[in-house]
Amino acid sequence: MSLPSYGHWDADPFDHPREECGVVGIQSPGSHSAALAAIGLFALQHRGQESAGVAASDHGTIRVHSGMGLVSEAFRDGDLDGILGDTSIGHTRYSTTGASDPCNAQPLVVDGSNGKLAIAHNGNIINSVQLREQLLERLDCRFDTTTDTEVIAHLLANAPGGTWPERLFYGMRVMEGAFSLALLTPDALIAARDPLGIRPLCLGRLPPEEGDGWVFASETCALDHMQAEFVRELEPGEVLVITADGVRSEIFKGDENRGRALCVFEWIYFARPDSMMDGRLMHTVREEMGAQLAREHPIDADLVIGIPDSSTSAAVGYAKESGIPFANGLVRNRYVGRTFIEPEQRQRDRGVRQKFNPMPSVLRGKRLIVVDDSIVRGTTTPHVVELLRKAGATEIHLRVCAPPIKHPCYLGVDMATREELIAANKTVDQIRELTGADTLGYLTVGGLLDVAKGQQAGGFCDACFTGNYPVPVQLDFSKMGLARTG
Ligand code: SF4
């Protein structure tokens, strides 16, 4: 059997959806807030590894530092020393719109009729090409990047309305898509979440030794690392304005019937297992999803293993529900960057070998249930199955803790094109055959949503599984669309 290839060089060699960015905002009186923002960004590193940056406001002056790579590469010793001020925003980026290029690193700063504005964005604006054309017609603004974030920045910096909530609400009326925003003006810190709440955003309070200030972040794990106490998640359509006078919240009154559409992939894979959403720990939710998977696809076996690290919680849940012992059968080498994973077939096996090391003494002679959190292109799984067989596994029963991904994401996640999505083009049995597994079972959409919804009434986006997008999408959307118009 010939093994499928990774596709192009830029494809994720480990076949996961690519994360969509992380944002933080900090107001901490008397502090060097950019340094605190960097702590938050380290916690959000999993949401984007292409670039990182902070912007801080110091007595009306906004200064920015950003760089390519991981937070530790973007912020070298002394880089933040001059980024003074007790109010700041920060960003870790994975490019969902625009190329991976230093000019696209965030935060961006623009100047408009409403004054200076720094912006950090998590999400994706579907109609950004049209909005940019309208802005170019209407205003004398210059675009320096190929990102939708710069479109949002100019839109807001020149939006009608006397207050920031009014300007954000104008933006919410004209922008279609996903956005959790961290904004910084010379005298205010602003957080905003799109009316469907597609991307997460939460508010926390710093302790007295940090000036009793306020922080917000994409995930609660960032609050934890900044030693902030979780206050609450922002509501869909909420705008929070934090100034020296306090915190003001206003909520967009748009189409009341649209409801929340939080990305369910945050729960499956994106969010860190130690983050909380809807009052639930992601690790526990994933255990419950793994238990549901065990109920839906039971099989007799000796051991349950997860593909580390992102599938471990689900594998533990599968093991608990099935009564089959969980084992660590694969060790992941955390220090192999994707730069070193080579694209050619011969080198691809080597790449999987570099990333994962099976433990034959655990696996030899065993019938394995192998839990993975998702399969996107199906390019890595056959290599992992082969690795486990070579380590002595006698049977491999693959269990995927997500439904088959049949539709691309247009809302801030770089998944793949429809042509690249294996489940959009093959049946489950064809995929099983390609992976080399003995059996294959996916979590059902109903099972996933039963676990995710729990006691909450809140809705989820599940469009990559069902094709039911919560907003009208352009099926020919390309992340490089703005680069082409630029
Ligand atoms: S399409 Fe999938 S990945 Fe994209 S927002 Fe919806 S659930 Fe998340």
Side-chain angles (χ1 to χ4, degrees):
M1 182 185 70
S2 67
L3 298 177
S5 71
Y6 281 138
H8 56 92
W9 166 248
D10 198 34
D12 176 3
F14 291 102
D15 198 34
H16 282 114
R18 294 273 192 86
E19 193 42 82
E20 349 76 342
C21 303
V23 299
V24 294
I26 290 140
Q27 186 234 34
S28 172
S31 77
H32 180 203
S33 63
L36 199 52
I39 293 171
L41 294 181
F42 273 111
L44 298 177
Q45 186 72 88
H46 60 291
R47 299 184 72 88
Q49 298 96 43
E50 289 189 1
S51 65
V54 292
S57 174
D58 181 28
H59 298 100
T61 302
I62 294 177
R63 298 185 185 88
V64 182
H65 172 80
S66 62
M68 298 302 287
L70 301 173
V71 179
S72 58
E73 296 164 325
F75 302 159
R76 301 282 186 191
D77 274 357
D79 278 348
L80 297 183
D81 290 355
I83 311 299
L84 300 173
D86 59 14
T87 309
S88 61
I89 60 172
H91 190 256
T92 56
R93 178 169 195 258
Y94 170 69
S95 57
T96 47
T97 303
S100 175
D101 186 294
C103 79
N104 287 337
Q106 298 184 30
L108 302 174
V109 182
V110 300
D111 222 339
S113 56
N114 299 321
K116 256 202 171 130
L117 182 68
I119 182 170
H121 168 217
N122 171 205
N124 198 56
I125 303 300
I126 294 168
N127 59 340
S128 58
V129 172
Q130 293 88 329
L131 290 174
R132 178 156 123 158
E133 281 164 9
Q134 289 165 14
L135 283 166
L136 283 168
E137 271 171 28
R138 192 160 62 84
L139 301 167
D140 184 26
C141 59
R142 202 187 83 187
F143 284 88
D144 295 321
T145 79
T146 56
T147 66
D148 57 347
T149 306
E150 195 179 15
V151 175
I152 305 173
H154 281 295
L155 189 82
L156 297 177
N158 296 286
T163 66
W164 279 107
E166 285 168 2
R167 294 165 193 157
L168 263 303
F169 293 162
Y170 165 79
M172 289 180 191
R173 278 192 291 276
V174 300
M175 293 190 290
E176 282 288 1
F179 50 94
S180 281
L181 299 174
L183 304 168
L184 185 67
T185 74
D187 51 17
L189 172 68
I190 303 163
R193 197 171 176 200
D194 69 67
L196 290 168
I198 296 170
R199 297 284 148 227
L201 199 58
C202 59
L203 177 70
R205 189 88 202 243
L206 288 164
E209 56 271 28
E210 297 286 356
D212 270 334
W214 295 95
V215 295
F216 56 83
S218 298
E219 291 183 36
T220 61
C221 66
L223 304 185
D224 296 338
H225 285 281
M226 292 188 283
Q227 299 190 46
E229 194 182 329
F230 171 76
V231 175
R232 63 177 174 84
E233 291 175 30
L234 269 75
E235 297 291 326
E238 182 170 4
V239 177
L240 273 183
V241 180
I242 303 169
T243 64
D245 298 331
V247 183
R248 204 173 85 228
S249 162
E250 290 189 35
I251 297 188
F252 179 63
K253 301 274 183 280
D255 182 348
E256 302 286 353
N257 296 325
R258 287 172 92 186
R260 190 188 76 167
L262 175 66
C263 169
V264 77
F265 239 109
E266 294 281 353
W267 291 48
I268 296 168
Y269 170 68
F270 293 143
R272 258 176 47 166
D274 53 337
S275 281
M276 307 273 296
M277 287 188 205
D278 284 356
R280 295 165 77 193
L281 184 68
M282 291 297 101
H283 164 72
T284 308
V285 166
R286 288 169 195 166
E287 274 198 1
E288 289 172 23
M289 288 176 184
Q292 177 68 21
L293 186 61
R295 288 190 287 275
E296 292 183 2
H297 297 285
I299 192 133
D300 197 20
D302 302 311
L303 290 179
V304 180
I305 69 165
I307 310 262
D309 297 322
S310 53
S311 308
T312 303
S313 302
V316 168
Y318 192 111
K320 280 186 185 166
E321 180 68 19
S322 65
I324 299 168
F326 170 83
N328 281 312
L330 269 180
V331 176
R332 180 179 167 190
N333 180 1
R334 290 161 212 280
Y335 304 103
V336 179
R338 79 186 162 95
T339 318
F340 298 101
I341 309 297
E342 298 158 288
E344 296 304 319
Q345 177 72 38
R346 178 181 56 78
Q347 295 158 331
R348 187 163 310 118
D349 295 330
R350 199 165 69 198
V352 171
R353 282 287 333 183
Q354 280 180 307
K355 195 80 175 180
F356 298 116
N357 196 25
M359 293 188 277
S361 58
V362 175
L363 303 172
R364 195 173 300 120
K366 295 292 194 294
R367 298 168 299 159
L368 296 184
I369 292 166
V370 179
V371 178
D372 201 353
D373 51 70
S374 55
I375 296 179
V376 182
R377 296 175 179 82
T379 48
T380 307
T381 317
H383 301 280
V384 174
V385 168
E386 193 177 62
L387 202 63
L388 294 169
R389 285 209 195 277
K390 280 184 183 162
T394 54
E395 290 176 21
I396 294 180
H397 303 285
L398 192 57
R399 296 292 180 269
V400 185
C401 211
I405 301 171
K406 297 183 173 179
H407 308 272
C409 177
Y410 301 93
L411 298 166
V413 175
D414 193 9
M415 210 143 239
T417 62
R418 189 181 300 273
E419 295 69 43
E420 292 170 319
L421 290 172
I422 193 166
N425 299 293
K426 300 204 182 301
T427 65
V428 171
D429 200 50
Q430 287 170 328
I431 299 169
R432 181 203 61 73
E433 205 179 325
L434 267 168
T435 60
D438 295 288
T439 67
L440 170 63
Y442 284 92
L443 188 61
T444 59
V445 174
L448 168 68
L449 293 180
D450 278 352
V451 173
K453 284 186 178 165
Q455 304 303 311
Q456 291 280 331
F460 289 87
C461 174
D462 55 20
C464 45
F465 310 120
T466 62
N468 300 326
Y469 294 94
V471 292
V473 298
Q474 299 160 264
L475 296 178
D476 60 347
F477 176 85
S478 156
K479 80 170 190 169
M480 305 308 285
L482 286 176
R484 285 201 305 270
T485 63

